[in-house]
Amino acid sequence: MTAQLDEKVEPIFQEVLARNPGETEFHQAVREVLESLGPVLVKNPEFTHHKIIERICEPERQIIFRVPWQDDKNQVQINRGFRVEFNSALGPYKGGLRFHPSVYLGIIKFLGFEQIFKNSLTGLPIGGGKGGSDFDPKGKSDDEIMRFCQSFMTELYRHLGEYTDVPAGDIGVGGREIGYMFGQYKRITNRYEAGILTGKGLDWGGSLVRTEATGYGAVFFVDEMLKARKDSFEGKVCTVSGSGNVAIYTTEKINQLGGKVVACSDSNGYIYDEKGIDLELVQQLKEVERRRIKDYTGYRKHAKYVAKGNIWEVPCQVAMPSATQNEINGKDAALLVKNGCIAVGEGANMPTTPEGVKVFLEAGIAYGPGKAANAGGVATSALEMQQNASRDSWDFEYTEKRLQQIMKNIHQNCYETALEYGAPGNYVVGANIAGFIKVANAMVAMGVI
Ligand code: NDP
């Protein structure tokens, strides 16, 4: 682990460890936030009195359920579903659903915990939650995906509502899955309530820019960090891990701002294309044909595929981890810095281990943690909710401007909070403290609930 915890905070963390055994990712996420909070308690003794940190670390509600479904061979399959409704001080629970075989309660709780502060940072009225299943969508037919999504929603629907809990996508959950889940919700309830899910299709209540939002937002955030150092994306060589939703739109926006992405990946390996990744080809392979990234080299002969390779060995000036948690360890971080990396923007949630974070902070590079840098996705989900509530739809340009302004505000807020707390340029401290204070104040105002 990294920094010492404040003496008031240490016993709270020990209690979290004891109450949530085995949930290592949750412990990691809690510790990372708690490391920043010592000075906040000194300035705001009422937070200690009201036991705000202890309450924030305990989800308001945790739902775990059986998801039975039939595969194409008529065999019954059983998965486990989760929804952790973490904190609703600022608005209805909001956060995505992840379908991946690695999902268990500790993953959902780490994501839900981070989501509280991320959503607070957006400045929009949304609380924090997260859900998902250990279902593996890889290799499943469309029909199997549909039957699974229908079964998942047959339990989840009773916990959702425009003013209660509004899920969205995450790893393994994109437009197709949201469609099947929304259809089942509508069928069970006989109500067309667009506001119960975000990430919907454009013809049935979705918002323009939602698909692009997390990637675009992460690039806007890095752009702000670079501007604060009188620099820009122009001419920068970049690497983007993953080749899913976040990675694709991160790459698109980097290209638009004059950078060049030379590598991307999936869980089997990475591709290196010194001429710059051909994004249209990646989209065709991944979004349309649902193939593997190694197939890229079949169409671009000069590109290199490195099976089981580590994308962070590719020299770059800007790195944007956009795949999954703990994908950059201390060694990877040191290698990135050694190879000339000056900025890291986390499109993924908690992609850097505590040792990696320490390396970036000590090197003094511009490091944008996920809860700030990837908040554009959920922010645009909140814009989708606004459009649903007013039965309106905004055009692309306007929605993208709103997203860009939100990312600027988040950057400014983190930057100024870090300064105020004596840690200039430290966006970890800035994001944790700014995100926390707003939620804490709301919880104090609402009494012991
Ligand atoms: P997708 O499912 O669209 O893509 C995920 C990508 O990451 C795929 O290329 C996948 O490769 C790779 N990946 C997933 N798990 C692993 C793993 N264990 N090891 C190596 N590679 C892996 O998901 P998203 O793009 O939506 O999400 C990516 C990250 O961004 C996640 O951390 C998510 O929590 C975060 N995020 C997403 C938001 C959104 O709006 N979608 C919002 C905020 C954060 P493969 O196909 O081989 O599994």
Side-chain angles (χ1 to χ4, degrees):
M1 287 291 175
T2 51
Q4 284 279 330
L5 285 176
D6 177 272
E7 60 178 24
K8 280 208 180 69
V9 176
E10 177 68 41
I12 305 177
F13 183 62
Q14 290 307 323
E15 184 74 14
V16 169
L17 292 180
R19 285 170 68 82
N20 304 280
E23 297 174 2
T24 49
E25 295 83 359
F26 178 53
H27 303 161
Q28 183 183 335
V30 169
R31 180 166 182 119
E32 194 261 353
V33 172
L34 265 46
E35 278 174 6
S36 305
L37 296 186
V40 179
L41 295 185
V42 175
K43 275 198 188 184
N44 303 270
E46 72 276 18
F47 293 161
T48 304
H49 175 70
H50 290 279
K51 291 217 159 74
I52 295 299
I53 302 183
E54 291 88 331
R55 278 197 272 154
I56 269 188
C57 291
E58 183 69 22
E60 290 176 15
R61 191 174 297 106
Q62 307 185 56
I63 302 143
I64 303 181
F65 51 99
R66 181 173 67 197
V67 189
W69 56 282
Q70 259 178 315
D71 66 19
D72 287 344
K73 295 184 186 119
N74 290 329
Q75 298 296 307
V76 175
Q77 302 287 342
I78 295 134
N79 285 98
R80 188 171 287 175
F82 302 89
R83 186 72 184 164
V84 173
E85 298 181 332
F86 227 115
N87 192 293
S88 60
L90 298 181
Y93 310 107
K94 184 88 198 83
L97 298 170
R98 175 177 292 191
F99 293 169
H100 193 271
S102 65
V103 164
Y104 76 108
L105 190 58
I107 294 268
I108 300 298
K109 278 168 70 176
F110 115 64
L111 290 163
F113 184 75
E114 290 252 297
Q115 197 83 45
I116 304 170
F117 309 103
K118 179 188 311 191
N119 293 5
S120 164
L121 284 172
T122 66
L124 298 164
I126 39 180
K130 197 81 189 188
S133 173
D134 58 1
F135 173 72
D136 186 359
K138 236 174 262 168
K140 302 289 189 298
S141 71
D142 247 20
D143 282 349
E144 289 176 323
I145 298 279
M146 181 179 75
R147 287 194 292 272
F148 175 81
C149 288
Q150 289 176 340
S151 180
F152 187 82
M153 187 50 94
T154 301
E155 170 58 32
L156 189 66
Y157 89 96
R158 69 188 84 246
H159 307 289
L160 304 188
E162 169 181 11
Y163 298 105
T164 310
D165 187 352
V166 187
D170 190 79
I171 291 178
V173 178
R176 172 180 61 168
E177 292 75 18
I178 294 288
Y180 292 145
M181 287 190 270
F182 185 73
Q184 182 73 350
Y185 180 93
K186 186 169 77 61
R187 178 196 200 187
I188 296 172
T189 60
N190 194 30
R191 288 172 68 85
Y192 203 108
E193 294 180 83
I196 59 102
L197 276 178
T198 58
K200 299 181 292 295
L202 294 176
D203 295 332
W204 41 278
S207 171
L208 283 163
V209 191
R210 176 61 190 91
T211 305
E212 295 84 355
T214 306
Y216 278 21
V219 176
F220 287 144
F221 190 89
V222 172
D223 196 37
E224 290 298 315
M225 293 199 298
L226 291 171
K227 277 187 197 150
R229 294 167 175 237
K230 313 247 173 303
D231 205 343
S232 78
F233 265 104
E234 194 59 49
K236 296 274 183 307
V237 172
C238 310
T239 49
V240 178
S241 64
S243 48
N245 171 268
V246 178
I248 284 174
Y249 294 99
T250 293
T251 302
E252 184 167 272
K253 187 51 78 181
I254 289 176
N255 290 344
Q256 287 173 13
L257 296 187
K260 181 165 83 165
V261 177
V262 295
C264 68
S265 63
D266 60 21
S267 54
N268 297 118
Y270 75 83
I271 49 165
Y272 172 68
D273 185 341
E274 63 177 342
K275 294 185 180 164
I277 295 290
D278 179 339
L279 187 60
E280 258 179 53
L281 176 56
V282 171
Q283 285 185 282
Q284 180 64 28
L285 291 172
K286 301 300 290 190
E287 288 186 329
V288 181
E289 298 173 22
R290 296 181 191 276
R291 288 164 64 184
R292 308 304 297 161
I293 204 66
K294 75 169 186 309
D295 297 341
Y296 184 93
T297 51
Y299 301 85
R300 296 288 172 270
K301 301 289 182 209
H302 61 272
K304 187 171 92 173
Y305 174 68
V306 184
K308 295 197 174 76
N310 177 1
I311 190 171
W312 310 120
E313 69 198 16
V314 176
C316 67
Q317 290 152 300
V318 179
M320 308 257 330
S322 307
T324 193
Q325 63 276 354
N326 292 328
E327 51 169 314
I328 299 183
N329 62 27
K331 273 192 187 151
D332 301 328
L335 188 58
L336 279 165
V337 171
K338 180 168 155 268
N339 285 339
C341 181
I342 56 158
V344 174
E346 296 185 340
N349 285 307
M350 206 168 75
T352 311
T353 64
E355 295 74 22
V357 174
K358 190 161 174 263
V359 170
F360 291 147
L361 293 179
E362 283 178 2
I365 68 163
Y367 167 62
K371 64 170 77 64
N374 71 38
V378 74
T380 310
S381 275
L383 301 182
E384 182 174 333
M385 291 163 74
Q386 279 186 31
Q387 293 168 75
N388 293 152
S390 57
R391 297 180 193 278
D392 196 3
S393 55
W394 309 337
D395 66 26
F396 194 95
E397 207 187 342
Y398 174 75
T399 317
E400 190 186 4
K401 279 224 170 79
R402 293 279 305 257
L403 167 64
Q404 188 166 13
Q405 189 59 49
I406 290 168
M407 297 314 297
K408 265 185 180 210
N409 295 347
I410 295 175
H411 174 270
Q412 187 74 9
N413 194 1
C414 296
Y415 186 86
E416 284 171 3
T417 307
L419 258 186
E420 186 190 333
Y421 280 84
N426 185 330
Y427 293 93
V428 175
V429 166
N432 286 340
I433 296 182
F436 173 80
I437 286 182
K438 198 168 165 206
V439 180
N441 282 333
M443 289 176 72
V444 170
M446 289 176 199
V448 179
I449 53 170

